[in-house]
Amino acid sequence: MGQLEERYISLLTDFGFKRIFGTRPNKDLLVNFLNSMFNGEQVITDVRYLNSEHVGDVFAERRAIFDVYCENERGEKFIVEMQNAYQKHFKDRSLFYATFPIREQAPKDASWNFQLNHVYIVALLNFDLKEPAFDPNDITHDVGLMDKKTFRVFNDKLSFKYVEIANFDKTEAELVTLYDKWLFALKNISYLDKRPDSFRERVFSKLFDEAEIARFNPQELHEYEDSLKAYRDIKNSIDTALELGREQGRAEGIEQGREEGRAEGRAEGIEQGRAQIVLSMLAKGLDIATVSELTGMSVEEIRTLQK
C-alpha cells in the first residue's frame, strides 16, 4: 500500500472510530464526547467496556455487533454506533440493538422486580436520515418513550440519540461549544494538517496525538489502510448508486409525467445501486457477514444476489 498523505486518521472509518472511542486507554475521550453531547442531561465520570458481540436467545436469531458498548459507574448502558451508509430499516435496527442491553439486565434470580437501568443508543450518522419526525433545523435528535397526547415522558429508561454528522456544516470559526468541536473533529480531522488553535482543551491534545498516523506501528498502519479503503469504496459506491437513482427517477418522471414515476424511479435506482454495492464489496474480498453489517442487507438476500 502507498504512503498516506493525511496526517490524521479519519474517525469515520471503522478502525479510526474504534481506536479513539472503543479502547480502554482512550475511554476518557469517549466520556468527554458523551458528556458534551448530553450537555448536563447526564454526567458520566467513568465507563467500563462490555462485550460488543451479542447473539440472540435462539441460534437462528441475528447476531449484533456494536461499535462501542459500555456502561457507566451507575450501571447505565451505552451503545455508540457510527453508521456511514443509509439503511432502509435503520430505525428498526437501532431498536433491535436496544433489546440486548435490556434483556441482559434480567438476573436468573426469580425475585427480580423488573427494575431496569437506563439504556442509551447513540447513533452517529454520516448521512441524512430524512426522518419526518425530526426537527429539520437540528442535527441532534433525542427520541424516547412518551404519551403521544400529553407529550410527557412515559418511561425514561430507553433513549435514542441520532446525530446527523453529514449535516454538520459549521466552520472552525463558528464552533462555540465543546460538542461543536467534537462534531467538527469527527467529520473533518482527516483533512487537517494541524490541531486548530481553538481546540485548546486538554482532551483534544490527546485526540490529535492518538489520531496521528505517524505514531502507528506497521500493523496498525496496515489495519487503518484496509479500513480506509473499505470506507472509501462504500462511500464511492453509495454516491454512484444515489446518482443512478436520481437519473433513473428523472427519466421515468419525465416519461410518465407524474411525481409517482419520479419517486418510483429513484427508489428502484437506489435499490439497483445497493445491489451493485454489495456485489462490489464481495468482489473486493469482504466476507458476507461484514457486508451484511455494513449494508443492512440480510445474509439470505446477499446469497440470493450471488446466484
Side-chain angles (χ1 to χ4, degrees), residues 86 127-128 130 235-250 265-267 269-274 276-277:
Y86 171 81
F127 59 89
D128 185 346
K130 298 187 184 301
K235 295 303 289 181
N236 289 339
S237 298
I238 290 170
D239 290 343
T240 301
L242 288 173
E243 187 56 37
L244 243 168
R246 292 189 194 101
E247 290 176 3
Q248 187 164 339
R250 283 192 292 268
R266 282 194 296 270
I270 290 172
E271 278 303 308
Q272 289 178 358
R274 188 164 173 249
Q276 291 174 1
I277 293 170

Side-chain angles (χ1 to χ4, degrees), residues 6 19 21-22 46 56 66 81 108 121 138 160 174 218 249 253 269 271 285 293:
E6 297 86 1
R19 177 183 177 89
F21 293 119
D46 192 20
F66 312 140
E81 283 280 303
K108 294 180 179 179
I121 309 297
D138 205 347
F160 296 85
E174 296 172 319
E271 278 303 308
E293 280 294 321

